[in-house]
Amino acid sequence: MKAVRFHEFGGPEVLRYEDVEQPVPAAGEVLVRVAATTFNPVEGNIRLGVMQGPIPVELPHTPGLDVAGTVDALGEGVEGLAVGDEVVGFLPMTKPGAAAEYVLAPAAALTPAPKGIPLADAAALPLVGLTAYQALFDHGQLKAGQRVLVNGAGGPVGGYAVQLAKEAGAHVIATASPRSAEAVRTAGADEVVDHTATSVLAAVTEQVDLVLNLAPVDPAVLAELVTLVRPGGAVVNTTIWMPAPSDEERDVRGVNLYVRSDAEQLAKLVALVDSGDLRVDVAQRVPLTELPAIHVQAASGAVRGKVVFLVSGV
């Protein structure tokens, strides 16, 4: 089969589109014929080798944390799935990924794909959708009627966070640049703050129950966000190289989010997609052979929105 792999850590030039032996599922595993995978910024850091502490990978390594595809074969003991089923999943971060014609996935990581959107587009849901869900509900404990500030709402995670928070009955304040402001409003934000023109601290005049920080802001700015949170609230931070601020005197929690695969939560997201209550946005659809070029663009900050890699030859 064909796959994109890197044999050494480094820049995008280490990525190779090459022939690889097709894997065979072991007990509890599923062989998925890949329809699509996506680009996630963390994959650039994995390729550089700077994530070997928290996310150690063996070389050569195939990127692609998201998968959408069709079950091709089942390992021993797998139940609830059948050959031909269309599935989506967030793959283990330390294992070979879905930038390939076939990939092995733990059966427990997969859930039926949405019916109302193209299978390839469903690859844009797992990692960023789960990040938003876990930030809001597992860690932020968001409830109807509460106020949430999504800082950096213009990116893929922010788009899901705004939609999910609004669906949950929260009042959503979102920061976004003028380029992404309209998309954030469409996602359901009640208030949009242009962070390029206005200080968030000045714009948010009433305290919130939860701050979700998705932006690589200056650490001092991140620390100030805790002042916007009511006693008993939380700051959930996805830029994990900066510790989330807290305020013990006011019982404001600081949480650093490490997203985890959760098929049950992913199934909830799929149900929202199929009911029309959650929109999957795809900025670009490109062939898998373009994966190295997207890594080049991402290194220069030129990638906007979610990029889906379409896998051909299967």
Side-chain angles (χ1 to χ4, degrees), residues 26-211:
E29 291 184 330
V30 174
L31 181 67
V32 178
R33 186 175 69 173
V34 180
T37 187
T38 71
F39 174 77
N40 291 288
V42 69
E43 295 177 76
N45 290 325
I46 292 172
R47 186 207 68 234
L48 284 168
V50 300
M51 300 296 288
Q52 277 296 89
I55 311 173
V57 299
E58 294 183 5
L59 299 177
H61 179 70
T62 302
L65 297 171
D66 293 307
V67 65
T70 306
V71 173
D72 191 79
L74 302 174
E76 184 180 351
V78 173
E79 299 178 352
L81 291 170
V83 171
D85 286 353
E86 293 185 342
V87 292
V88 291
F90 171 27
L91 299 174
M93 300 180 84
T94 59
K95 300 295 184 181
E101 291 176 340
Y102 294 86
V103 68
L104 292 178
L110 300 174
T111 198
K115 303 295 185 185
I117 62 174
L119 178 59
D121 283 6
L125 178 63
L127 189 150
V128 288
L130 286 170
T131 300
Y133 186 95
Q134 291 168 19
L136 292 171
F137 305 115
D138 287 1
H139 301 294
Q141 300 169 10
L142 186 68
K143 298 175 178 62
Q146 291 186 328
R147 292 167 55 83
V148 56
L149 168 64
V150 181
N151 193 46
V157 175
Y160 287 115
V162 170
Q163 291 185 78
L164 290 169
K166 192 63 181 175
E167 171 70 16
H171 180 90
V172 183
I173 307 166
T175 71
S177 68
R179 179 182 55 232
S180 53
E182 187 55 38
V184 170
R185 287 191 188 91
T186 301
D190 297 285
E191 303 176 44
V192 179
V193 177
D194 178 1
H195 63 81
T196 67
T198 308
S199 161
V200 178
L201 294 178
V204 180
T205 56
E206 182 183 342
Q207 286 188 317
V208 300
D209 300 279
L210 171 64
V211 168

Side-chain angles (χ1 to χ4, degrees), residues 257-310:
L257 172 65
Y258 296 84
V259 64
R260 59 183 175 82
S261 183
D262 188 312
E264 185 176 339
Q265 290 180 351
L266 185 54
K268 292 179 181 179
L269 297 176
V270 167
L272 288 171
V273 172
D274 279 336
S275 67
D277 295 312
L278 185 66
R279 189 180 66 253
V280 174
D281 289 322
V282 176
Q284 296 184 65
R285 299 170 184 85
V286 299
L288 180 61
T289 51
E290 294 297 309
L291 187 147
I294 295 297
H295 274 242
V296 171
Q297 292 177 31
S300 66
V303 171
R304 305 293 179 189
K306 199 66 176 169
V307 179
V308 167
F309 298 111
L310 306 174

